[in-house]
Amino acid sequence: QVQVVESGGGLVQPGGSLTLSCAASGNIFRINNMGWYRQAPRKEREMVASITRSGTTNYADSVKGRFTISGDNAKNTVYLRMNNLKPEDTAVYYCNTVGVRDYYVTFDSWGQGTQVTVSS
């Protein structure tokens, strides 16, 4: 079993900043990719940012230049620094982790989500 736990969400004013954290734990042999997704009310879940084990990053066009994803392989942790937040960034943010656990079984695990609300 692999557990994924997010933290760091909250209420912030437009133009403000937040940092989300995500930690994976359990019988993990190797994590290949970690990413952040979000889902706003009445909208589909969308990819926000991802990072591979080697450090290759990918961002949604809507967050490029404002959000930065980083990871710590030793701690199985990923962070999402969000600057210049806009009301349209309001959503539940989910962490996704893909990798290999014991006995070379692959896993694709999600956290329970953390709410980010951008409002004055």
Side-chain angles (χ1 to χ4, degrees):
Q1 293 284 3
V2 175
Q3 295 79 41
V4 179
V5 179
E6 307 102 334
S7 61
L11 173 64
V12 63
Q13 292 185 344
S17 299
L18 277 176
T19 299
L20 305 182
S21 300
C22 169
S25 61
N27 297 323
I28 297 172
F29 174 70
R30 183 183 68 245
I31 290 178
N32 295 324
N33 189 82
M34 296 186 79
W36 288 96
Y37 291 71
R38 67 187 181 186
Q39 187 166 19
R42 297 175 297 281
K43 291 189 176 181
E44 294 187 355
R45 188 175 298 189
E46 62 175 354
M47 192 280 291
V48 176
S50 65
I51 185 168
T52 68
R53 182 174 183 82
S54 61
T56 301
T57 58
N58 186 36
Y59 295 93
D61 288 341
S62 59
V63 307
K64 284 180 180 177
R66 301 188 298 122
F67 291 10
T68 302
I69 189 170
S70 60
D72 186 333
N73 290 336
K75 296 181 179 180
N76 292 332
T77 298
V78 67
Y79 307 94
L80 184 68
R81 174 66 176 177
M82 304 184 293
N83 294 327
N84 190 22
L85 282 160
K86 304 176 181 180
E88 50 263 42
D89 295 317
T90 296
V92 177
Y93 284 69
Y94 297 91
C95 179
N96 174 254
T97 303
V98 177
V100 181
R101 58 183 179 89
D102 55 342
Y103 303 106
Y104 303 104
V105 175
T106 59
F107 67 85
D108 184 341
S109 299
W110 292 85
Q112 78 288 352
T114 185
Q115 177 70 46
V116 172
T117 302
V118 185
S119 175
S120 55

